[in-house]
Every structure is written in structure tokens, then in C-alpha cells.
Amino acid sequence: PQSVVRALSDRFYEKRKAGAVEIEKTVRDKTNNGAGGGEEYVVTLINILTMDYTCSINSNQRKGGLIGLAAVALGLGPNGTPKFLQYLLPPVLKCFDDPEVRVRYYASEALYNIAKV
């Protein structure tokens, strides 16, 4: 939704966090309903977060993308996350080389949240 897109790009952490909570709920709903198509949805969402956010020139978008990727992992839970690690980890690890300190901090936080699931 457009509200999530706007929230992840916001300069305030609270708004980015609210967008991430929405992503977590959506992923949980899509993967737990048993209707199928959940895996395709998750891969598409991860690709959008990677290409449009973590690779952005805007540092707030990079931070929002990292929070969003962690939210995807939290939404998938311990049973679903291992299937998607090949998609989740590369953009997070790439952000450890970011020139901005805050982005590197968010990358470490995202990696922690992915690993704890």
C-alpha cells in the first residue's frame, strides 16, 4: 500500500517502524492463510525492498528497506525464514559497507532481527 511506501521512506524512525509493522502483518497473513502464492509474494516484496530501498541514494530509504527486510523475516517466523535467507541476507550485508554510520547500524540491527528468528 501507498501508506507503507511513504512510511518506509520517512525521515522519522517511528514512521518507518510503523511501515515495518504493516509489512510484518501482511507477510504473516499471506504466508499463513494456506491459499498459496505466499512464497511468490514474499520474494517479490523482498526484491522491491532491495531494489527500491536498500539500493537507494536516499539514506532514509536505505534504513527503511533494512527495517522492512527484518520485518519480512519476523513475519515469516522461524519456520519460513530459512527458505528466504538467500534473498534476505545479501542486501543487508551490502549495507555494512555503506558510507553512513546510521545505515550500518540499521544493517546490524536488521541482521540481528533476521538471525534471532
Side-chain angles (χ1 to χ4, degrees), residues 68-81:
L69 289 170
V72 169
L74 292 172
L76 288 168
N79 296 328
T81 299

PDB file of all heavy atoms in Angstrom, residues 68-81:
ATOM      1  N   GLY A  68      12.382  -2.974   6.786  1.00  0.00           N
ATOM      2  CA  GLY A  68      11.394  -3.774   6.069  1.00  0.00           C
ATOM      3  C   GLY A  68      11.838  -5.210   5.868  1.00  0.00           C
ATOM      4  O   GLY A  68      11.041  -6.141   6.018  1.00  0.00           O
ATOM      5  N   LEU A  69      13.111  -5.418   5.535  1.00  0.00           N
ATOM      6  CA  LEU A  69      13.615  -6.785   5.359  1.00  0.00           C
ATOM      7  C   LEU A  69      13.563  -7.559   6.668  1.00  0.00           C
ATOM      8  O   LEU A  69      13.203  -8.738   6.690  1.00  0.00           O
ATOM      9  CB  LEU A  69      15.044  -6.759   4.807  1.00  0.00           C
ATOM     10  CG  LEU A  69      15.179  -6.305   3.352  1.00  0.00           C
ATOM     11  CD1 LEU A  69      16.641  -6.082   2.994  1.00  0.00           C
ATOM     12  CD2 LEU A  69      14.537  -7.306   2.411  1.00  0.00           C
ATOM     13  N   ALA A  70      13.904  -6.893   7.767  1.00  0.00           N
ATOM     14  CA  ALA A  70      13.805  -7.547   9.074  1.00  0.00           C
ATOM     15  C   ALA A  70      12.352  -7.884   9.394  1.00  0.00           C
ATOM     16  O   ALA A  70      12.058  -8.947   9.946  1.00  0.00           O
ATOM     17  CB  ALA A  70      14.407  -6.659  10.161  1.00  0.00           C
ATOM     18  N   ALA A  71      11.438  -6.992   9.015  1.00  0.00           N
ATOM     19  CA  ALA A  71      10.013  -7.236   9.264  1.00  0.00           C
ATOM     20  C   ALA A  71       9.511  -8.433   8.462  1.00  0.00           C
ATOM     21  O   ALA A  71       8.665  -9.195   8.944  1.00  0.00           O
ATOM     22  CB  ALA A  71       9.199  -5.988   8.917  1.00  0.00           C
ATOM     23  N   VAL A  72      10.025  -8.607   7.251  1.00  0.00           N
ATOM     24  CA  VAL A  72       9.654  -9.782   6.450  1.00  0.00           C
ATOM     25  C   VAL A  72      10.059 -11.054   7.188  1.00  0.00           C
ATOM     26  O   VAL A  72       9.270 -12.000   7.306  1.00  0.00           O
ATOM     27  CB  VAL A  72      10.300  -9.728   5.046  1.00  0.00           C
ATOM     28  CG1 VAL A  72      10.134 -11.057   4.318  1.00  0.00           C
ATOM     29  CG2 VAL A  72       9.701  -8.605   4.216  1.00  0.00           C
ATOM     30  N   ALA A  73      11.294 -11.064   7.713  1.00  0.00           N
ATOM     31  CA  ALA A  73      11.768 -12.247   8.444  1.00  0.00           C
ATOM     32  C   ALA A  73      10.917 -12.505   9.677  1.00  0.00           C
ATOM     33  O   ALA A  73      10.556 -13.651   9.966  1.00  0.00           O
ATOM     34  CB  ALA A  73      13.229 -12.067   8.836  1.00  0.00           C
ATOM     35  N   LEU A  74      10.576 -11.451  10.406  1.00  0.00           N
ATOM     36  CA  LEU A  74       9.737 -11.615  11.597  1.00  0.00           C
ATOM     37  C   LEU A  74       8.354 -12.133  11.215  1.00  0.00           C
ATOM     38  O   LEU A  74       7.775 -12.964  11.916  1.00  0.00           O
ATOM     39  CB  LEU A  74       9.625 -10.300  12.354  1.00  0.00           C
ATOM     40  CG  LEU A  74      10.917  -9.810  13.016  1.00  0.00           C
ATOM     41  CD1 LEU A  74      10.736  -8.394  13.562  1.00  0.00           C
ATOM     42  CD2 LEU A  74      11.360 -10.753  14.107  1.00  0.00           C
ATOM     43  N   GLY A  75       7.817 -11.653  10.098  1.00  0.00           N
ATOM     44  CA  GLY A  75       6.510 -12.105   9.636  1.00  0.00           C
ATOM     45  C   GLY A  75       6.519 -13.560   9.197  1.00  0.00           C
ATOM     46  O   GLY A  75       5.532 -14.276   9.361  1.00  0.00           O
ATOM     47  N   LEU A  76       7.640 -13.996   8.635  1.00  0.00           N
ATOM     48  CA  LEU A  76       7.748 -15.391   8.195  1.00  0.00           C
ATOM     49  C   LEU A  76       7.871 -16.347   9.370  1.00  0.00           C
ATOM     50  O   LEU A  76       7.437 -17.494   9.296  1.00  0.00           O
ATOM     51  CB  LEU A  76       8.971 -15.561   7.281  1.00  0.00           C
ATOM     52  CG  LEU A  76       8.857 -14.951   5.896  1.00  0.00           C
ATOM     53  CD1 LEU A  76      10.221 -14.934   5.227  1.00  0.00           C
ATOM     54  CD2 LEU A  76       7.858 -15.719   5.057  1.00  0.00           C
ATOM     55  N   GLY A  77       8.490 -15.894  10.436  1.00  0.00           N
ATOM     56  CA  GLY A  77       8.656 -16.739  11.615  1.00  0.00           C
ATOM     57  C   GLY A  77       9.780 -17.743  11.436  1.00  0.00           C
ATOM     58  O   GLY A  77      10.417 -17.820  10.383  1.00  0.00           O
ATOM     59  N   PRO A  78      10.020 -18.545  12.468  1.00  0.00           N
ATOM     60  CA  PRO A  78      11.157 -19.477  12.437  1.00  0.00           C
ATOM     61  C   PRO A  78      11.032 -20.593  11.401  1.00  0.00           C
ATOM     62  O   PRO A  78      12.040 -21.139  10.964  1.00  0.00           O
ATOM     63  CB  PRO A  78      11.185 -20.059  13.849  1.00  0.00           C
ATOM     64  CG  PRO A  78       9.864 -19.755  14.449  1.00  0.00           C
ATOM     65  CD  PRO A  78       9.306 -18.567  13.737  1.00  0.00           C
ATOM     66  N   ASN A  79       9.837 -20.925  10.992  1.00  0.00           N
ATOM     67  CA  ASN A  79       9.668 -21.989  10.003  1.00  0.00           C
ATOM     68  C   ASN A  79       9.818 -21.490   8.568  1.00  0.00           C
ATOM     69  O   ASN A  79      10.215 -22.242   7.690  1.00  0.00           O
ATOM     70  CB  ASN A  79       8.308 -22.670  10.169  1.00  0.00           C
ATOM     71  CG  ASN A  79       8.190 -23.378  11.501  1.00  0.00           C
ATOM     72  OD1 ASN A  79       9.171 -23.881  12.029  1.00  0.00           O
ATOM     73  ND2 ASN A  79       6.992 -23.393  12.052  1.00  0.00           N
ATOM     74  N   GLY A  80       9.478 -20.232   8.327  1.00  0.00           N
ATOM     75  CA  GLY A  80       9.507 -19.714   6.961  1.00  0.00           C
ATOM     76  C   GLY A  80      10.777 -18.990   6.580  1.00  0.00           C
ATOM     77  O   GLY A  80      11.162 -18.976   5.409  1.00  0.00           O
ATOM     78  N   THR A  81      11.445 -18.388   7.547  1.00  0.00           N
ATOM     79  CA  THR A  81      12.612 -17.561   7.241  1.00  0.00           C
ATOM     80  C   THR A  81      13.748 -18.317   6.554  1.00  0.00           C
ATOM     81  O   THR A  81      14.324 -17.787   5.596  1.00  0.00           O
ATOM     82  CB  THR A  81      13.118 -16.862   8.523  1.00  0.00           C
ATOM     83  OG1 THR A  81      12.069 -16.034   9.022  1.00  0.00           O
ATOM     84  CG2 THR A  81      14.341 -16.009   8.244  1.00  0.00           C
TER      85      THR A  81
END
